[in-house]
Every structure is written in structure tokens, then in C-alpha cells.
Amino acid sequence: MMFLSIERITGIFKDFRPKSISVPFPSEVTPGVQEASRRNRGSLQLRHLDAGSCNGCEMEIASMTSPIYDVERFGIKLEASPRHCDGLLVTGPVTRNMSGPLLKTYEAVPQPRVVVALGDCALDCGVFKGAYGVEGTLGDILPVDLEIPGCPPEPASIITALRGLVGR
Amino acid sequence: MHWTLLSRLSISTLQIVGIAVGSPLLLGLMRKIRCRIEGRVGPPIAQPLIEIRKLAKRERIRPEYSSWIFTVAPIVLVATTLILVAITPIFSTGSSWSADLFAVVFLLLIGSVSVALSALDTGTAFGGMGASRAMTVGALAEPALLVALLALSVPAGSSNITTILVRSLYNPEWLVTPERLLALAAFLIVIVAESGRLPVDNPTTHLELTMIHEAMILEYSGIDLALVKLGESMRLVFMLALFGNLFIPWGIATRPGPIYLVIGMLSTAAKVVGLGTLIATVEVGMAKLRLFRVPELMAGAFVLSVLAVVSSLVVR
Ligand code: SF4
């Protein structure tokens, strides 16, 4: 009868308790983000696009979907097809090789679309500033609606910023 | 035991509304269960409904070189599923217009073929790959479903699903015969394959090498995508409801009257939620099968259903 002890049974259910930490809603949102959140109505699909990052930002994006941060609870999802999306989540400086694909992906997203710049590189080229393979910042090429600074930004701060876009 | 035309019509309408609203909620519930077992909070249960509502308002893009097939496919998918929901006994046997098992299987087939054709129509590499995979699985799953239902029709002596259901209600000893259990196993495998869930397909994957269903709908956007998502979830719930009602027939309304109808709705909802919970729970601990192993699974389902037919003919 050892394996039927009370602790064992309650232990199973303790394991199912969510381990996610709470992530705050952004304290202030720009009018553009507010408008997008009204449009998105509690659900946001983003296409992630690496325009030339060092993959540091990608690691943080990947951990965003882990049980600890659990970005899906706010209705935010990363999708495979830009056609299913509301916008782009771009990391890294825009390199010469990726500026074409970036524009094509942007055009594949149904209108109206949002562009999120993730990480210092997407904002101002960061450590890659002035490198010969870099064409420019994301802002030089596409209109940016939301900027998330950091090198790399923490998962919690990415989720906080994105929560403004979902409005939830 | 007399159904007026009005009561038949209202039951069909009720089934359509119930399944259309209930099926995204079931998907949300299954996602929630999965998330909870994984130790996360998970999105709210109404999230698929929220997504469909948002998609309906989004811009619709159609690929430049696609034909009318691409436009029509989501409508065909939803329409065939709605017909299925309207004519089969889901809440009440009174909804049956002529729910022949061949009609049910072929209507299901029309829906899946239209989606596969639309994927070919886009001309993208992924679309064609997804379509060929989906048809490979479908070509093996549909006969298994047909033969499994056939096995049930042998003791009832009719290929009408309502008749099968009503006769098995009055002969409960049929419910545990070997052919029924074999058909049950085959039917369950078909449901998992047709609705694109683990271990046949991973509904949340985005990896080129593993996508089956996702690959086919990559080009859809806006209201078209909303229709495809709604159609797929309705198909899943329809099959679960059919499965539940055929194998655990108690509860379904067999006579007119609102009280029976309410009991029928509640019991069908309970069966569907129970089956959905079971699938979601089992899925968490499962990995996707290698694509080349999927036909083996499907062939297994087919063998089970053939055995079911044979035993139903021999055992009597
Ligand atoms: S911001 Fe930092 S982590 Fe992100 S891509 Fe640039 S260098 Fe890498």
C-alpha cells in the first residue's frame, strides 16, 4: 500500500500546477500600439524573422514559449505562415542578404500589419553597427510599430511589450 | 414517436449551431488540458473562437495564380461538414434525414479532397507536399472508416446510421461484441488521423519535414482561414460525436420533446468532452510517428475494421 500514500496522490496534482511566472502589462503604450491592440482583439499571431541576428535574441524568443514564461496564455503565437499573421517580429540588423526576404515577408502579411523590432540590433544595429554586410536598421527599411530594447531583451520584457499589442 | 417536419428542422438547426460554437471551444479545452499537464497556464478556452472572430475581419489575400478552387475549397469544407452535422443523429435521432454510412464517409471525403486540391492550386512547394501526404493518409483512413462502420451495420441489418444507433439501443448486448470493439479501435485511429492529431500529424508544428495539414493551409488568410479552421474543428467534433453516439448510444434523444433534446445535448457534449480530454491527455506523452510509419498505422486500422466485418459475419 506504500504507493497509495496521500502525498503521492496529491503530488501528481501538484505537478500539474502551472509553473508560469506572472508578467506585467506594459505601463504605457504608444497610440499606434493601442490601435493595433484594438484590431487584434485578444489574439496575436507573429511571424518571426531573423534579419541577421547573432541568435541571442532567438534564444530568448524560444524561452518565451517555455512553461516558465508561457507566452501563449496571452493569446500570442508565433506562426509559420506570414499569411496567418498580424505582423512581423524582426531580430538583428538588416543584412544585405536578408533585406529582400524581409520585404517579401512583409508584403505577404495581410494588412494592416505591425512590425516589432526586437533587440538592440534591430533598433540601431547594436554591435554590428558599421559592419560591411549590414544594410541598415529595421527602421530604415520598414515602419516600426513597437521597439523592444536589450541585448538580448529578457523573455519577460518581450512578453510585457507584446502584451500591449494584444491588449491583454 | 412521431417527428414533425418542424421538429426535425429545429433539431438540425440546433445541431449545426451547437457544433459550430462548441467545436472551437473543444479545441480550446484540449489545448488548455495539454498546457496544464505541461505545467503552463495556457490560453483561455475561448481562444480559438477569439482567433476565428479576429480572422474574419482581417484582409483576405489570394495567391496571384490560384484559380476558383482555392476560393471555393473552404466553403466546400464547411458546407459538407454542416450537411453532415444536420443529417446525422448527434443530439437526437430526429435529425436523421438519410444518414447513410456511405453518404457520411463520402461527404467527409469531399471536404478533405477539396482542401488538398486547394493546396495544389496555390502552386507552392509546401502545398503540394502537404496535399500528397494528406491524401496518402486519407486514402488509407477513409476505407478503414467505411469498413468499420460497415461492421456495425451488419448486426443492425441496415446501413442507415440512425437505424444502427436505435437498434443498438434496444440490443445493448451488441455493444461488447468483438466486432464492435475492433471497429471501435479502427474508428478511433481514423479520427486521430483525419483530424491531424498526434501521432499522425502534429497540429502545432511548423517544421517542413513534419507538416501534413498545416502545410496545406499555409496560403489562406482572413475569412478563408477562419472557415478552414472552423471546418476542421467541426469535423473533429462531428467524428467524436458520431463515435460517442455509436459506441455509447445512451442519452441521445429518441423521441420528440424538449426534455429529451436537452438530455441528448448534454449527453453528447459529455461524450465529446470526455473523448477530447482523453485524446489531449494521451497526446502529451506521445511523439509524432515517422511519416513512413503512418501508413502502417493506417493499415493496422484497416485490418482491424476488416476483422470486425469478418467476425460480425462469422460470429452470428
Ligand atoms: S541584440 Fe544582442 S542578442 Fe540580439 S541579435 Fe543583437 S547582438 Fe545578438
Side-chain angles (χ1 to χ4, degrees):
Chain A
M1 289 314 281
M2 262 309 284
F3 57 85
L4 275 181
S5 71
I6 300 288
E7 287 93 80
R8 243 185 130 127
I9 293 169
T10 52
I12 296 172
F13 291 102
K14 247 184 231 149
D15 267 2
F16 288 165
R17 263 199 331 228
K19 294 160 194 70
S20 317
I21 60 171
S22 71
V23 180
F25 194 77
S27 45
E28 60 201 280
V29 287
T30 61
V33 168
Q34 201 151 37
E35 203 207 307
S37 77
R38 236 174 282 126
R39 214 166 49 222
N40 293 330
R41 304 166 96 192
S43 134
L44 177 73
Q45 273 78 16
L46 289 176
R47 169 73 223 193
H48 164 233
L49 192 128
D50 177 347
S53 100
C54 75
N55 261 344
C57 287
E58 275 64 34
M59 301 291 278
E60 306 303 318
I61 291 176
S63 52
M64 209 164 78
T65 56
S66 70
I68 302 293
Y69 294 104
D70 189 26
V71 69
E72 244 191 86
R73 69 187 137 154
F74 304 115
I76 303 166
K77 269 202 297 190
L78 297 181
E79 289 275 348
S81 169
R83 294 265 197 251
H84 301 184
C85 289
D86 307 300
L88 293 182
L89 179 67
V90 186
T91 56
V94 182
T95 54
R96 290 187 204 287
N97 283 343
M98 282 306 287
S99 69
L102 173 64
L103 280 173
K104 275 192 187 161
T105 316
Y106 179 70
E107 268 147 30
V109 178
Q111 269 164 335
R113 42 209 169 194
V114 290
V115 176
V116 184
L118 179 68
D120 284 346
C121 289
L123 301 186
D124 61 358
C125 291
V127 289
F128 300 112
K129 202 178 290 175
Y132 69 90
V134 170
E135 193 162 304
T137 65
L138 183 63
D140 297 337
I141 293 173
L142 294 176
V144 175
D145 299 282
L146 178 63
E147 297 183 336
I148 308 175
C151 178
E154 269 182 50
S157 60
I158 305 176
I159 295 176
T160 298
L162 292 182
R163 278 187 74 178
L165 272 181
V166 218
R168 209 167 80 194
Chain B
M1 284 283 274
H2 197 74
W3 305 94
T4 58
L5 181 66
L6 189 70
S7 68
R8 280 180 186 271
L9 276 177
S10 50
I11 288 168
S12 289
T13 320
L14 204 64
Q15 289 189 167
I16 288 178
V17 174
I19 297 275
V21 177
S23 62
L25 288 179
L26 181 81
L27 279 197
L29 179 72
M30 288 170 78
R31 205 190 287 176
K32 188 83 178 175
I33 291 169
R34 199 193 158 98
C35 285
R36 274 300 158 95
I37 296 177
E38 286 175 351
R40 39 175 102 222
V41 180
I45 290 174
Q47 187 67 26
L49 271 181
I50 295 174
E51 273 168 31
I52 288 175
R53 187 187 64 176
K54 183 198 73 178
L55 280 172
K57 290 251 165 83
R58 299 277 302 158
E59 186 200 11
R60 162 169 63 189
I61 300 178
R62 287 184 173 143
E64 214 173 315
Y65 299 109
S66 66
S67 66
W68 56 271
I69 292 177
F70 187 81
T71 321
V72 166
I75 300 166
V76 172
L77 175 70
V78 172
T80 51
T81 317
L82 286 182
I83 295 172
L84 280 173
V85 171
I87 64 167
T88 44
I90 290 180
F91 295 153
S92 163
T93 52
S95 68
S96 163
W97 299 81
S98 128
D100 192 85
L101 66 90
F102 293 96
V104 168
V105 173
F106 287 125
L107 278 169
L108 276 175
L109 196 62
I110 292 175
S112 41
V113 167
S114 71
V115 175
L117 282 181
S118 79
L120 285 177
D121 191 42
T122 59
T124 60
F126 273 150
M129 194 191 68
S132 96
R133 287 177 178 180
M135 286 297 99
T136 311
V137 176
L140 293 162
E142 296 284 350
L145 176 62
L146 190 60
V147 178
L149 287 176
L150 210 58
L152 301 183
S153 76
V154 172
S158 163
S159 67
N160 189 313
I161 289 192
T162 314
T163 316
I164 300 175
L165 215 155
V166 173
R167 295 224 173 122
S168 62
L169 259 180
Y170 294 117
N171 300 286
E173 70 275 9
W174 287 357
L175 298 175
V176 284
T177 52
E179 74 258 23
R180 231 185 153 82
L181 298 179
L182 289 167
L184 179 127
F187 199 162
L188 203 58
I189 297 176
V190 170
I191 291 180
V192 167
E194 277 289 302
S195 57
R197 305 199 72 89
L198 287 169
V200 175
D201 188 9
N202 184 352
T204 55
T205 188
H206 299 315
L207 295 174
E208 305 77 56
L209 294 174
T210 59
M211 284 193 290
I212 298 180
H213 179 256
E214 279 295 307
M216 292 198 290
I217 60 170
L218 281 181
E219 283 288 339
Y220 278 115
S221 57
I223 182 97
D224 285 343
L225 182 62
L227 283 178
V228 172
K229 288 199 167 179
L230 185 66
E232 294 293 342
S233 62
M234 287 198 317
R235 273 167 68 101
L236 170 66
V237 172
F238 165 74
M239 285 194 282
L240 289 180
L242 190 63
F243 180 88
N245 281 339
L246 279 176
F247 291 98
I248 321 162
W250 296 284
I252 190 165
T254 48
R255 56 189 77 208
I259 304 153
Y260 296 108
L261 191 58
V262 169
I263 295 174
M265 283 177 74
L266 290 179
S267 75
T268 305
K271 289 170 201 168
V272 170
V273 166
L275 285 167
T277 311
L278 183 76
I279 292 182
T281 317
V282 172
E283 254 187 358
V284 177
M286 230 182 226
K288 192 184 160 301
L289 272 183
R290 203 151 56 86
L291 191 66
F292 298 111
R293 301 292 300 274
V294 171
E296 286 171 27
L297 181 70
M298 293 295 108
F302 187 69
V303 169
L304 285 177
S305 51
V306 169
L307 282 177
V309 172
V310 170
S311 79
S312 69
L313 290 171
V314 170
V315 167
R316 280 197 305 155

